[in-house]
Amino acid sequence: MAILKVYGQLYPGLRFEYVFHCEKDKKKRGFVTRVHEVLAQELGAESMPCCFDDITKLLKGTAKCSLHRNCECPCAPKDFDWYFCSSSCKDLSKENAHRFKGNCFADKNIKTPGGSSETYFAMTDVMSHFRPDLVFFENVSDIDNKSADSLESNLDLLKKHWADLGCATQAVFFDTVQFGLPHHRDRVVVVAANIRDPRLMNFRDTDVNEIF
């Protein structure tokens, strides 16, 4: 919220609205909810974004909002233009000895121990439903590793999948220490632009790799 306020001051004509958050992990969701409750004292609870518990239930209308627990009407995700998202990294990270050995992004019917496949496809279902102009997807850099029985990485599959959804993509690899964090974490952010039916920004005439 503070960042959005700063941008509002720097660019008066630019307006952001944070419309919802989704976090399956109970402890992390509790932290987000506590932050939201503090902000609600300043901004008013009615203007605070929903904090849903499970993205796999979001489009089914069964995801519960931990912030507006006492509302008479069930919460529903609002439309949005920019999508900041991630999926579980538990089956993708080389740090997990019990991770799924195949490609998590290969098939919607795959069941993975850490939920990496389920959360990825639920996340992209939300993306396909709302058709945002820009998508920023973060995960471990290991999504670019190829398994022993595949010529394609999960990142390769993601790019193909999102191309079918009408998006041009660019992957940016980095170490979190580059941004001042006191530890090394190899990460990737995939920036995707909706070139099929954008609402606010026209990416049809310029390649996404030239823009970002």
Side-chain angles (χ1 to χ4, degrees), residues 167-198:
C167 291
T169 57
Q170 181 187 19
V172 181
F173 293 85
F174 61 92
D175 186 332
T176 55
V177 77
Q178 295 174 256
F179 295 89
L181 276 71
H183 50 65
H184 292 276
R185 296 288 188 277
D186 293 324
R187 295 291 184 266
V188 61
V189 168
V190 179
V191 182
N194 178 357
I195 58 175
R196 179 180 295 166
D197 49 5

Side-chain angles (χ1 to χ4, degrees), residues 59-73:
L59 294 182
K60 299 175 184 177
T62 57
K64 297 179 181 179
C65 173
S66 59
L67 185 66
H68 305 125
R69 293 182 290 265
N70 300 320
C71 291
E72 294 181 3
C73 300

Side-chain angles (χ1 to χ4, degrees), residues 4-201:
L4 301 186
K5 285 185 178 180
V6 170
Y7 270 99
Q9 293 170 358
L10 293 175
Y11 307 100
L14 192 62
R15 291 289 182 269
F16 291 97
E17 182 186 359
Y18 175 19
V19 293
F20 73 88
H21 184 99
C22 203
E23 176 56 64
K24 192 171 184 178
D25 185 274
K26 187 175 181 180
K27 290 183 178 179
K28 293 178 182 178
R29 189 169 65 250
F31 170 77
V32 173
T33 301
R34 287 192 295 274
V35 172
H36 283 190
E37 288 173 345
V38 172
L39 291 171
Q41 297 177 12
E42 176 184 351
L43 302 176
E46 68 282 353
S47 64
M48 293 307 300
C50 292
C51 184
F52 295 105
D53 64 349
D54 191 344
I55 196 167
T56 64
K57 300 178 181 178
L58 199 63
L59 294 182
K60 299 175 184 177
T62 57
K64 297 179 181 179
C65 173
S66 59
L67 185 66
H68 305 125
R69 293 182 290 265
N70 300 320
C71 291
E72 294 181 3
C73 300
C75 294
K78 296 181 180 179
D79 194 10
F80 54 90
D81 302 300
W82 288 14
Y83 191 26
F84 296 85
C85 53
S86 185
S87 59
S88 171
C89 67
K90 292 180 180 179
D91 297 297
L92 302 167
S93 175
K94 62 185 178 215
E95 302 299 325
N96 180 9
H98 305 289
R99 66 187 181 278
F100 185 71
K101 302 304 181 184
N103 282 333
C104 299
F105 299 173
D107 191 329
K108 202 169 189 176
N109 295 316
I110 291 175
K111 303 299 180 184
T112 52
S116 293
S117 178
E118 294 87 334
T119 53
Y120 166 75
F121 282 104
M123 181 202 76
T124 50
D125 283 347
V126 172
M127 173 179 160
S128 178
H129 179 81
F130 287 101
R131 306 292 304 158
D133 279 14
L134 283 176
V135 179
F136 301 87
F137 169 77
E138 179 272 340
N139 214 301
V140 293
S141 60
D142 297 319
I143 68 169
D144 199 29
N145 296 341
K146 296 179 176 65
S147 62
D149 57 349
S150 177
L151 297 176
E152 296 180 302
S153 67
N154 282 298
L155 182 58
D156 295 329
L157 294 171
L158 178 150
K159 289 179 177 180
K160 286 185 177 180
H161 183 190
W162 290 14
D164 291 340
L165 295 177
C167 291
T169 57
Q170 181 187 19
V172 181
F173 293 85
F174 61 92
D175 186 332
T176 55
V177 77
Q178 295 174 256
F179 295 89
L181 276 71
H183 50 65
H184 292 276
R185 296 288 188 277
D186 293 324
R187 295 291 184 266
V188 61
V189 168
V190 179
V191 182
N194 178 357
I195 58 175
R196 179 180 295 166
D197 49 5
R199 293 176 288 187
L200 300 177
M201 302 175 178

